[in-house]
Amino acid sequence: YKFLLKGREDLRQDERVMQLFGLINSLLSRDTETARRSLAIERFPVIPLSSNSGLIGFYPGCISFHHLIFNLRQRLNRPSTLEQRMALQFSPNWDTLTTMQKVESFEYALSNTPGNDLQRAMWYKAPNAEVWLERRTDYTRSLAVMSIAGYILGLGDRHPSNILIHERTGKVVHIDLGDCFEMAAHREKFPEKVPFRLTRMLIMPMEVSSIEGIFKHTANHTMRVLRANRDSLMAVLEAFVFDPLVSWLLFQEPEAAPSGDHDKKKPDRFSSSYSSGGGSESMRTDDGYVNIIDDKGWQTGNPKARAIVKRIYDKLSGTDFNPDEQLKVSKQVERLIQQATASENLAVLYVGWVPFW
Protein backbone atom coordinates (compact mmCIF):
# COMPACT_ATOMS: atom_id res chain seq x y z
CA TYR A 1 0.00 0.00 0.00
CA LYS A 2 1.30 3.43 -0.88
CA PHE A 3 1.19 6.04 1.84
CA LEU A 4 2.52 9.48 2.61
CA LEU A 5 4.41 10.19 5.81
CA LYS A 6 3.46 13.77 6.62
CA GLY A 7 5.44 15.73 9.19
CA ARG A 8 5.03 19.08 10.91
CA GLU A 9 1.26 18.83 10.73
CA ASP A 10 -1.42 17.52 13.06
CA LEU A 11 -3.59 14.96 11.28
CA ARG A 12 -6.06 14.18 14.07
CA GLN A 13 -8.52 16.69 12.69
CA ASP A 14 -8.26 15.08 9.24
CA GLU A 15 -8.93 11.73 10.91
CA ARG A 16 -12.07 13.10 12.57
CA VAL A 17 -13.25 14.53 9.25
CA MET A 18 -12.87 11.10 7.65
CA GLN A 19 -14.96 9.62 10.47
CA LEU A 20 -17.65 12.22 9.77
CA PHE A 21 -17.55 11.41 6.06
CA GLY A 22 -17.98 7.74 6.98
CA LEU A 23 -21.17 8.59 8.88
CA ILE A 24 -22.46 10.66 5.96
CA ASN A 25 -21.80 7.76 3.58
CA SER A 26 -23.70 5.44 5.92
CA LEU A 27 -26.67 7.83 5.95
CA LEU A 28 -26.61 8.17 2.15
CA SER A 29 -26.51 4.37 1.74
CA ARG A 30 -29.66 3.97 3.87
CA ASP A 31 -31.77 6.43 1.86
CA THR A 32 -33.55 4.96 -1.16
CA GLU A 33 -32.91 7.84 -3.57
CA THR A 34 -29.27 8.44 -2.68
CA ALA A 35 -28.46 4.71 -2.49
CA ARG A 36 -29.96 4.17 -5.94
CA ARG A 37 -27.52 6.78 -7.29
CA SER A 38 -24.60 5.35 -5.28
CA LEU A 39 -23.91 8.74 -3.72
CA ALA A 40 -20.90 8.78 -1.40
CA ILE A 41 -17.89 10.83 -0.40
CA GLU A 42 -14.54 9.50 -1.56
CA ARG A 43 -12.40 8.71 1.51
CA PHE A 44 -8.83 7.66 2.22
CA PRO A 45 -7.06 6.42 5.39
CA VAL A 46 -5.56 8.96 7.80
CA ILE A 47 -3.49 7.62 10.72
CA PRO A 48 -2.03 10.18 13.16
CA LEU A 49 1.21 9.01 14.76
CA SER A 50 1.94 11.97 17.03
CA SER A 51 1.06 15.62 17.55
CA ASN A 52 2.92 16.64 14.39
CA SER A 53 3.12 13.61 12.12
CA GLY A 54 1.01 10.89 10.59
CA LEU A 55 0.32 8.60 7.64
CA ILE A 56 -2.03 9.41 4.78
CA GLY A 57 -3.06 6.66 2.39
CA PHE A 58 -2.75 7.44 -1.29
CA TYR A 59 -5.94 7.48 -3.32
CA PRO A 60 -4.65 5.66 -6.42
CA GLY A 61 -5.27 6.81 -9.97
CA CYS A 62 -5.88 10.48 -9.16
CA ILE A 63 -4.49 13.72 -10.52
CA SER A 64 -4.97 17.13 -8.96
CA PHE A 65 -7.25 19.65 -10.64
CA HIS A 66 -4.25 21.99 -10.86
CA HIS A 67 -1.96 19.50 -12.58
CA LEU A 68 -4.69 18.39 -14.97
CA ILE A 69 -5.22 21.94 -16.22
CA PHE A 70 -1.54 22.84 -16.12
CA ASN A 71 -0.57 19.80 -18.21
CA LEU A 72 -3.32 20.43 -20.76
CA ARG A 73 -2.35 24.06 -21.19
CA GLN A 74 1.28 23.10 -21.62
CA ARG A 75 0.33 20.80 -24.49
CA LEU A 76 -1.76 23.56 -26.05
CA ASN A 77 0.99 26.17 -25.54
CA ARG A 78 -1.43 28.20 -23.46
CA PRO A 79 -0.20 30.04 -20.33
CA SER A 80 -1.53 28.61 -17.06
CA THR A 81 -2.21 32.15 -15.81
CA LEU A 82 -4.10 33.23 -18.93
CA GLU A 83 -7.15 34.59 -17.11
CA GLN A 84 -5.09 36.38 -14.49
CA ARG A 85 -3.03 38.05 -17.20
CA MET A 86 -6.21 39.16 -18.92
CA ALA A 87 -7.54 40.69 -15.70
CA LEU A 88 -4.26 42.52 -15.06
CA GLN A 89 -4.26 43.77 -18.63
CA PHE A 90 -7.70 45.24 -17.99
CA SER A 91 -6.74 46.63 -14.55
CA PRO A 92 -2.96 46.68 -13.88
CA ASN A 93 -3.46 48.08 -10.36
CA TRP A 94 -5.45 45.03 -9.14
CA ASP A 95 -4.45 45.30 -5.47
CA THR A 96 -5.86 48.81 -5.14
CA LEU A 97 -9.19 48.16 -6.86
CA THR A 98 -12.55 48.34 -5.12
CA THR A 99 -14.73 45.23 -5.00
CA MET A 100 -16.88 46.35 -7.94
CA GLN A 101 -13.80 47.19 -10.01
CA LYS A 102 -12.39 43.73 -9.28
CA VAL A 103 -15.71 42.20 -10.35
CA GLU A 104 -15.54 44.12 -13.63
CA SER A 105 -11.97 42.93 -14.30
CA PHE A 106 -12.85 39.38 -13.22
CA GLU A 107 -15.82 39.18 -15.58
CA TYR A 108 -13.78 40.72 -18.41
CA ALA A 109 -11.16 37.98 -18.03
CA LEU A 110 -13.82 35.24 -18.00
CA SER A 111 -15.65 36.61 -21.02
CA ASN A 112 -12.44 36.69 -23.07
CA THR A 113 -11.20 33.18 -22.22
CA PRO A 114 -12.89 29.82 -22.94
CA GLY A 115 -12.48 28.21 -19.49
CA ASN A 116 -13.30 24.77 -20.88
CA ASP A 117 -9.99 23.12 -19.96
CA LEU A 118 -11.40 20.53 -17.53
CA GLN A 119 -14.24 19.76 -19.91
CA ARG A 120 -11.77 19.11 -22.76
CA ALA A 121 -9.40 17.12 -20.54
CA MET A 122 -12.20 14.76 -19.49
CA TRP A 123 -13.27 14.33 -23.11
CA TYR A 124 -9.71 13.64 -24.31
CA LYS A 125 -9.11 11.03 -21.59
CA ALA A 126 -12.29 9.06 -22.33
CA PRO A 127 -11.79 6.12 -24.75
CA ASN A 128 -15.36 6.43 -26.05
CA ALA A 129 -18.58 8.42 -25.57
CA GLU A 130 -20.13 5.82 -23.26
CA VAL A 131 -17.24 6.00 -20.79
CA TRP A 132 -17.21 9.79 -21.05
CA LEU A 133 -20.91 9.99 -20.17
CA GLU A 134 -20.46 7.69 -17.17
CA ARG A 135 -17.47 9.69 -15.93
CA ARG A 136 -19.33 12.94 -16.39
CA THR A 137 -22.24 11.65 -14.29
CA ASP A 138 -19.95 10.36 -11.52
CA TYR A 139 -17.97 13.60 -11.57
CA THR A 140 -21.08 15.75 -11.20
CA ARG A 141 -22.61 13.63 -8.45
CA SER A 142 -19.41 13.40 -6.40
CA LEU A 143 -18.86 17.15 -6.75
CA ALA A 144 -22.40 17.86 -5.52
CA VAL A 145 -22.19 15.48 -2.53
CA MET A 146 -18.85 16.88 -1.40
CA SER A 147 -20.02 20.47 -1.90
CA ILE A 148 -22.91 20.00 0.53
CA ALA A 149 -20.87 17.96 3.03
CA GLY A 150 -18.06 20.52 2.87
CA TYR A 151 -20.52 23.34 3.47
CA ILE A 152 -21.94 21.67 6.59
CA LEU A 153 -18.41 21.13 7.91
CA GLY A 154 -17.30 24.63 6.93
CA LEU A 155 -14.47 23.23 4.80
CA GLY A 156 -12.30 25.91 3.20
CA ASP A 157 -9.06 26.32 1.27
CA ARG A 158 -10.44 24.49 -1.78
CA HIS A 159 -7.77 25.63 -4.21
CA PRO A 160 -7.03 23.47 -7.31
CA SER A 161 -4.24 21.48 -5.64
CA ASN A 162 -6.60 20.29 -2.88
CA ILE A 163 -9.09 18.77 -5.31
CA LEU A 164 -8.23 15.53 -7.10
CA ILE A 165 -9.96 13.95 -10.09
CA HIS A 166 -9.95 10.18 -10.36
CA GLU A 167 -8.79 9.47 -13.89
CA ARG A 168 -10.76 6.23 -14.35
CA THR A 169 -14.09 7.18 -12.76
CA GLY A 170 -14.07 10.99 -12.93
CA LYS A 171 -15.00 11.21 -9.24
CA VAL A 172 -13.84 14.18 -7.16
CA VAL A 173 -11.60 13.56 -4.15
CA HIS A 174 -10.84 16.30 -1.60
CA ILE A 175 -7.59 16.34 0.37
CA ASP A 176 -6.02 18.56 3.05
CA LEU A 177 -9.07 18.78 5.30
CA GLY A 178 -7.61 20.77 8.17
CA ASP A 179 -9.35 24.05 7.33
CA CYS A 180 -12.77 23.40 8.91
CA PHE A 181 -15.55 25.29 10.72
CA GLU A 182 -15.41 28.28 8.32
CA MET A 183 -11.96 29.31 9.50
CA ALA A 184 -11.21 30.53 5.95
CA ALA A 185 -14.37 32.63 5.92
CA HIS A 186 -13.21 34.58 8.99
CA ARG A 187 -9.66 35.31 7.92
CA GLU A 188 -8.58 38.92 8.30
CA LYS A 189 -7.13 38.97 4.78
CA PHE A 190 -8.88 37.46 1.76
CA PRO A 191 -11.75 35.74 3.60
CA GLU A 192 -13.49 33.05 1.57
CA LYS A 193 -17.06 34.14 0.95
CA VAL A 194 -18.10 31.06 -1.01
CA PRO A 195 -19.67 28.01 0.69
CA PHE A 196 -17.84 25.61 -1.65
CA ARG A 197 -15.87 25.70 -4.89
CA LEU A 198 -18.15 25.90 -7.92
CA THR A 199 -16.20 27.91 -10.47
CA ARG A 200 -16.94 27.94 -14.19
CA MET A 201 -14.23 25.37 -14.97
CA LEU A 202 -15.92 22.90 -12.59
CA ILE A 203 -19.33 23.68 -14.08
CA MET A 204 -18.46 23.23 -17.77
CA PRO A 205 -17.88 19.44 -17.61
CA MET A 206 -21.53 19.10 -16.55
CA GLU A 207 -22.32 19.94 -20.17
CA VAL A 208 -25.80 20.95 -21.37
CA SER A 209 -27.70 20.62 -18.08
CA SER A 210 -25.02 22.57 -16.19
CA ILE A 211 -25.87 23.28 -12.53
CA GLU A 212 -29.60 22.84 -13.07
CA GLY A 213 -29.38 19.14 -13.90
CA ILE A 214 -27.64 16.33 -12.04
CA PHE A 215 -25.65 18.67 -9.80
CA LYS A 216 -28.61 20.45 -8.22
CA HIS A 217 -30.68 17.26 -8.06
CA THR A 218 -27.88 15.46 -6.21
CA ALA A 219 -27.22 18.43 -3.94
CA ASN A 220 -30.91 18.55 -2.98
CA HIS A 221 -30.99 14.84 -2.12
CA THR A 222 -27.77 15.10 -0.11
CA MET A 223 -28.96 18.10 1.87
CA ARG A 224 -32.33 16.42 2.46
CA VAL A 225 -30.66 13.33 3.93
CA LEU A 226 -28.31 15.34 6.13
CA ARG A 227 -31.10 17.54 7.46
CA ALA A 228 -33.30 14.49 8.12
CA ASN A 229 -30.47 12.96 10.17
CA ARG A 230 -29.51 16.17 11.91
CA ASP A 231 -29.38 14.63 15.40
CA SER A 232 -26.94 11.91 14.38
CA LEU A 233 -24.66 14.41 12.66
CA MET A 234 -24.81 16.86 15.54
CA ALA A 235 -23.84 14.15 18.01
CA VAL A 236 -20.64 13.48 16.05
CA LEU A 237 -19.93 17.12 15.28
CA GLU A 238 -20.42 18.28 18.86
CA ALA A 239 -17.88 15.72 20.05
CA PHE A 240 -15.59 16.94 17.27
CA VAL A 241 -16.02 20.63 18.11
CA PHE A 242 -15.70 20.29 21.90
CA ASP A 243 -12.75 17.88 21.65
CA PRO A 244 -9.91 19.26 23.81
CA LEU A 245 -7.42 18.16 21.15
CA VAL A 246 -8.71 20.77 18.71
CA SER A 247 -6.70 23.98 18.89
CA TRP A 248 -9.11 26.82 19.48
CA LEU A 249 -6.18 29.24 19.53
CA LEU A 250 -6.57 29.18 15.75
CA PHE A 251 -9.89 30.95 16.15
CA GLN A 252 -8.61 33.82 18.29
CA GLU A 253 -8.16 37.27 16.90
CA PRO A 254 -4.67 38.67 17.62
CA GLU A 255 -6.00 41.30 19.98
CA ALA A 256 -7.87 38.66 21.99
CA ALA A 257 -4.86 36.43 22.51
CA PRO A 258 -3.35 36.14 25.99
CA SER A 259 -0.32 38.27 26.69
CA GLY A 260 2.54 38.50 29.16
CA ASP A 261 3.49 35.52 31.33
CA HIS A 262 0.21 33.80 30.64
CA ASP A 263 1.01 33.75 26.94
CA LYS A 264 4.35 32.04 27.59
CA LYS A 265 2.55 29.22 29.38
CA LYS A 266 0.01 28.76 26.63
CA PRO A 267 -0.33 25.02 25.87
CA ASP A 268 0.11 23.61 22.41
CA ARG A 269 -2.75 21.69 20.90
CA PHE A 270 -1.57 18.38 22.34
CA SER A 271 -0.23 19.46 25.71
CA SER A 272 -1.00 17.26 28.70
CA SER A 273 -3.44 19.77 30.15
CA TYR A 274 -5.60 19.41 27.05
CA SER A 275 -5.84 15.65 27.20
CA SER A 276 -5.47 14.63 30.83
CA GLY A 277 -8.68 16.22 32.03
CA GLY A 278 -7.05 17.63 35.15
CA GLY A 279 -7.91 21.23 36.06
CA SER A 280 -8.98 23.73 33.42
CA GLU A 281 -7.50 26.17 30.95
CA SER A 282 -8.70 29.66 30.15
CA MET A 283 -8.28 32.32 27.51
CA ARG A 284 -8.77 36.05 27.52
CA THR A 285 -11.56 37.59 25.47
CA ASP A 286 -13.03 41.06 25.35
CA ASP A 287 -15.07 40.15 28.42
CA GLY A 288 -12.08 38.82 30.39
CA TYR A 289 -11.19 35.20 31.06
CA VAL A 290 -13.65 32.45 30.22
CA ASN A 291 -13.26 28.78 30.92
CA ILE A 292 -12.70 26.80 27.72
CA ILE A 293 -11.78 23.38 29.13
CA ASP A 294 -13.78 21.84 31.94
CA ASP A 295 -12.56 19.36 34.55
CA LYS A 296 -13.22 16.46 32.19
CA GLY A 297 -11.12 18.03 29.44
CA TRP A 298 -13.96 19.18 27.16
CA GLN A 299 -14.16 22.71 25.79
CA THR A 300 -17.84 23.21 26.53
CA GLY A 301 -17.21 26.67 27.97
CA ASN A 302 -15.51 28.02 24.86
CA PRO A 303 -17.75 30.66 23.22
CA LYS A 304 -16.10 30.03 19.86
CA ALA A 305 -16.91 26.31 20.09
CA ARG A 306 -20.52 27.03 21.08
CA ALA A 307 -20.88 29.47 18.17
CA ILE A 308 -19.59 26.83 15.74
CA VAL A 309 -22.05 24.23 17.04
CA LYS A 310 -24.89 26.75 16.67
CA ARG A 311 -23.78 27.57 13.13
CA ILE A 312 -23.72 23.89 12.14
CA TYR A 313 -27.15 23.36 13.71
CA ASP A 314 -28.53 26.28 11.69
CA LYS A 315 -27.14 24.78 8.48
CA LEU A 316 -28.83 21.46 9.23
CA SER A 317 -32.08 23.23 10.09
CA GLY A 318 -32.31 25.55 7.08
CA THR A 319 -31.97 28.69 9.22
CA ASP A 320 -28.41 29.46 8.15
CA PHE A 321 -29.38 32.52 6.09
CA ASN A 322 -32.07 33.91 8.36
CA PRO A 323 -32.65 32.62 11.91
CA ASP A 324 -36.30 33.63 11.66
CA GLU A 325 -36.95 31.78 8.41
CA GLN A 326 -36.53 28.04 7.84
CA LEU A 327 -35.74 27.46 4.18
CA LYS A 328 -36.86 24.41 2.28
CA VAL A 329 -34.05 22.16 1.07
CA SER A 330 -34.38 23.29 -2.55
CA LYS A 331 -34.34 26.97 -1.60
CA GLN A 332 -31.35 26.50 0.71
CA VAL A 333 -29.36 24.73 -2.02
CA GLU A 334 -30.32 27.42 -4.52
CA ARG A 335 -29.03 30.15 -2.21
CA LEU A 336 -25.77 28.27 -1.67
CA ILE A 337 -25.22 27.87 -5.42
CA GLN A 338 -25.87 31.58 -5.90
CA GLN A 339 -23.24 32.39 -3.28
CA ALA A 340 -20.71 29.96 -4.74
CA THR A 341 -21.03 31.33 -8.29
CA ALA A 342 -21.42 35.07 -7.55
CA SER A 343 -18.69 37.13 -9.23
CA GLU A 344 -18.56 39.54 -6.28
CA ASN A 345 -17.58 36.63 -4.02
CA LEU A 346 -15.09 35.05 -6.42
CA ALA A 347 -13.34 38.24 -7.55
CA VAL A 348 -12.09 39.12 -4.05
CA LEU A 349 -10.57 35.72 -3.25
CA TYR A 350 -6.86 35.19 -2.79
CA VAL A 351 -5.07 34.71 -6.12
CA GLY A 352 -3.72 31.32 -4.95
CA TRP A 353 -7.31 30.03 -4.72
CA VAL A 354 -7.43 30.59 -8.50
CA PRO A 355 -11.03 31.80 -8.78
CA PHE A 356 -10.59 32.22 -12.56
CA TRP A 357 -10.46 28.42 -12.88
Side-chain angles (χ1 to χ4, degrees):
Y1 296 97
K2 290 185 177 181
F3 63 88
L4 169 71
L5 176 60
K6 196 166 186 178
R8 298 185 180 181
E9 187 167 337
D10 164 31
L11 295 180
R12 294 204 188 187
Q13 183 163 301
D14 294 66
E15 181 190 34
R16 287 296 185 88
V17 172
M18 283 298 153
Q19 292 171 356
L20 174 66
F21 288 171
L23 172 61
I24 292 175
N25 286 348
S26 176
L27 297 175
L28 292 173
S29 68
R30 295 207 301 262
D31 182 83
T32 304
E33 292 295 325
T34 54
R36 184 165 60 88
R37 294 170 173 82
S38 301
L39 301 185
I41 299 172
E42 300 303 305
R43 301 165 65 223
F44 49 88
V46 178
I47 306 173
L49 299 177
S50 69
S51 61
N52 62 355
S53 66
L55 300 176
I56 299 178
F58 269 97
Y59 198 105
C62 290
I63 184 172
S64 73
F65 177 30
H66 175 269
H67 280 101
L68 192 63
I69 305 308
F70 183 81
N71 294 341
L72 177 65
R73 291 193 171 185
Q74 268 196 327
R75 291 199 299 271
L76 298 175
N77 292 319
R78 184 183 298 170
S80 60
T81 57
L82 176 63
E83 295 86 354
Q84 187 180 349
R85 292 184 185 184
M86 196 73 67
L88 291 175
Q89 183 182 5
F90 185 81
S91 301
N93 54 335
W94 177 269
D95 292 334
T96 61
L97 298 180
T98 64
T99 298
M100 292 313 298
Q101 288 172 330
K102 285 185 177 182
V103 169
E104 187 178 6
S105 299
F106 178 78
E107 292 182 341
Y108 171 81
L110 295 191
S111 62
N112 286 277
T113 52
N116 61 348
D117 302 77
L118 182 59
Q119 179 188 33
R120 294 180 67 180
M122 292 181 68
W123 173 254
Y124 292 154
K125 287 179 176 292
N128 54 59
E130 183 181 2
V131 171
W132 167 79
L133 182 61
E134 186 177 348
R135 288 179 182 176
R136 188 192 74 178
T137 302
D138 287 342
Y139 161 81
T140 307
R141 285 176 174 169
S142 63
L143 181 66
V145 171
M146 190 58 211
S147 294
I148 298 302
Y151 168 67
I152 298 299
L153 184 59
L155 186 63
D157 199 29
R158 298 298 89 199
H159 57 77
S161 294
N162 279 344
I163 299 176
L164 310 182
I165 308 290
H166 194 277
E167 295 187 284
R168 185 177 59 82
T169 64
K171 292 183 178 181
V172 175
V173 183
H174 284 250
I175 61 173
D176 197 358
L177 308 171
D179 202 337
C180 300
F181 309 124
E182 298 185 346
M183 285 167 52
H186 296 95
R187 286 200 205 104
E188 185 178 350
K189 289 186 177 181
F190 304 109
E192 293 184 12
K193 298 184 177 181
V194 292
F196 43 78
R197 187 181 186 98
L198 191 61
T199 53
R200 66 164 182 169
M201 205 174 281
L202 292 179
I203 294 172
M204 282 193 173
M206 302 175 195
E207 298 290 340
V208 62
S209 62
S210 189
I211 296 173
E212 297 300 321
I214 295 175
F215 181 88
K216 184 180 283 187
H217 200 58
T218 303
N220 283 333
H221 278 303
T222 304
M223 183 65 83
R224 174 184 58 79
V225 170
L226 297 187
R227 284 178 57 168
N229 293 275
R230 178 180 60 200
D231 293 341
S232 298
L233 288 168
M234 287 303 302
V236 173
L237 284 164
E238 282 183 11
F240 189 173
V241 171
F242 290 130
D243 191 329
L245 299 178
V246 177
S247 176
W248 295 108
L249 300 174
L250 294 174
F251 293 91
Q252 290 187 76
E253 292 77 19
E255 62 271 18
S259 58
D261 294 336
H262 184 78
D263 185 51
K264 295 177 183 178
K265 297 177 182 178
K266 182 173 58 180
D268 62 26
R269 64 190 301 181
F270 282 97
S271 67
S272 59
S273 60
Y274 270 64
S275 55
S276 66
S280 63
E281 292 292 332
S282 58
M283 63 182 282
R284 185 181 295 279
T285 66
D286 294 336
D287 299 326
Y289 283 104
V290 293
N291 182 32
I292 65 170
I293 302 180
D294 62 20
D295 291 335
K296 295 182 180 179
W298 293 94
Q299 303 191 70
T300 53
N302 188 335
K304 300 261 183 178
R306 292 200 303 268
I308 288 170
V309 171
K310 175 65 166 60
R311 174 67 176 153
I312 294 171
Y313 185 86
D314 288 342
K315 290 177 182 179
L316 292 170
S317 303
T319 56
D320 42 344
F321 290 96
N322 183 350
D324 299 323
E325 179 187 4
Q326 185 176 37
L327 297 177
K328 293 182 178 179
V329 169
S330 58
K331 186 65 175 177
Q332 184 184 19
V333 170
E334 180 67 32
R335 293 279 291 273
L336 291 173
I337 291 173
Q338 289 174 359
Q339 276 192 346
T341 56
S343 294
E344 55 269 27
N345 291 337
L346 293 169
V348 298
L349 290 170
Y350 175 57
V351 65
W353 199 87
V354 200
F356 296 104
W357 286 12

